[in-house]
Amino acid sequence: GCVFEQGNAGPLVAAIDQGTSSTRFLVFNAKTAELLSHHQVEINQSFPKEGWVEEDPKEILQSVYECMERTCEKLTQLNIDISNIKAIGVTNQRETTLVWDKETGEPLYNAIVWLDLRTQSTVERLINKTPGRNKNHLKHKTGLPISTYFSAVKLRWLMDNVDEVAEAVLTHRAMFGTVDSWLIWCLTGGKSGGVHCTDVTNASRTMLFNIHTLDWDPELCKYGTGCFLLRNTGAKPVMSDHGLLTTVAYKLGRDKPACYALEGSVAIAGAVVRWLKDNLGIIQTSTELEKLAASVGTSYGCYFVPAFSGLYAPYWEPSARGIICGLTQFTNKSHLAFAALEAVCFQTREILDAMNQDSGIPLTQLQVDGGMTSNRLLMQLQADILCIPVVKPSMPETTALGAAMAAGAAEGVSVWSLRPEDLSEVTSEKFEPQINPEGKGHVTHCYLISILAVPICLNTDLQ
């Protein structure tokens, strides 16, 4: 019973982790960073038309309540006093856009998910209005290209296409927010005095926020599962020459400086697994993917570019579509499974190369987290393809841990010290690259093929 005694002692901090495919609520010990209990609920996605991806805001909120209740039940069973939870951090799927009525508290439309493509024509219209039709026209302010990915164009679409939204905007009842804003507004009272807020990191992904002044930009406000690689660039925003985003990494307090990051976004990572499972029926569970791929140990020359919703960093080519090439009569589902894992690794490699070029300092190891890190074959492949070690913490919920740490260290809470000397050591596992130098040619060859496969499928709409 020592663990529970220890868990029971001292302050606890919780985190809501609201992701694209599931919601989690996790409770940590603020002194030891130990995960005491958590609960997870899947979120349904709907696809009303090709390229459209929506989620129900009320289902998202309900899933948070359910996760909180179940976690608190588990803590009570462990004899842990839930009144010791001193703060709750929020981490969430970014860019996903919601509009609700502040008087009724009701959503005015489904949440439009970050990888939704319905705003393609809105984006083209905006780019055509810029001098020289330049998608990077706003990058000096936002750090972002004009793309379907970010919230502002989704909001514009809602205002132009949903009568309820347009009407609520006219009568000043409409509230816009990313998922964090919707959850916090509801959890702090909703229509009865709920707090409508966000933080600089979510704001920096709306395309309405100036990352230098760290404020909403008046000029910008006038036109009204994923894999992400971030590199901390310190207190100065570094602009990318290689198709990466410049984004706000964190700002830990009103008087603290903002820290910036370069980020590459692979639109489809975990979603590849979902596609193989739900669309092709090749696997029944995600854990089967690793077994299938391991049974052959090679893709046998088969390559998979899973550009289901276009290509994100470093190409920003929204009209690209997925492709599978190099098929022979020998290719089977195990080779396809292996190619799917390689695809995630190649996309990470492309982003890493761009980051190394932008920052001028090659990364010596890659730290990973999230659901796909339980796939050991994928971790080894990633190390082999990057030619650097991949380090995976034994407690994979580092996103939620980060949100809990920030909440526990917040002004007025101060139960979690972020001083380096006070932080407990995180145990982790290291995957060393195992490819011999001659094998690197093979990697580069595959890597080139994955890039070559891209232009083939760029535009299927013949003008």
Side-chain angles (χ1 to χ4, degrees), residues 37 61 107 130 172 261 267 313 335 341 355 380 387 414:
S37 182
L61 180 64
T130 65
H172 299 286
H335 299 121
L341 294 181
M355 274 187 185
Q380 188 55 57
C387 306
S414 307

Side-chain angles (χ1 to χ4, degrees), residues 107 164 257 306 317 379-380 402 405 455 460:
E164 291 82 351
E317 187 45 80
M379 295 299 95
Q380 188 55 57
M405 288 168 78
T460 49

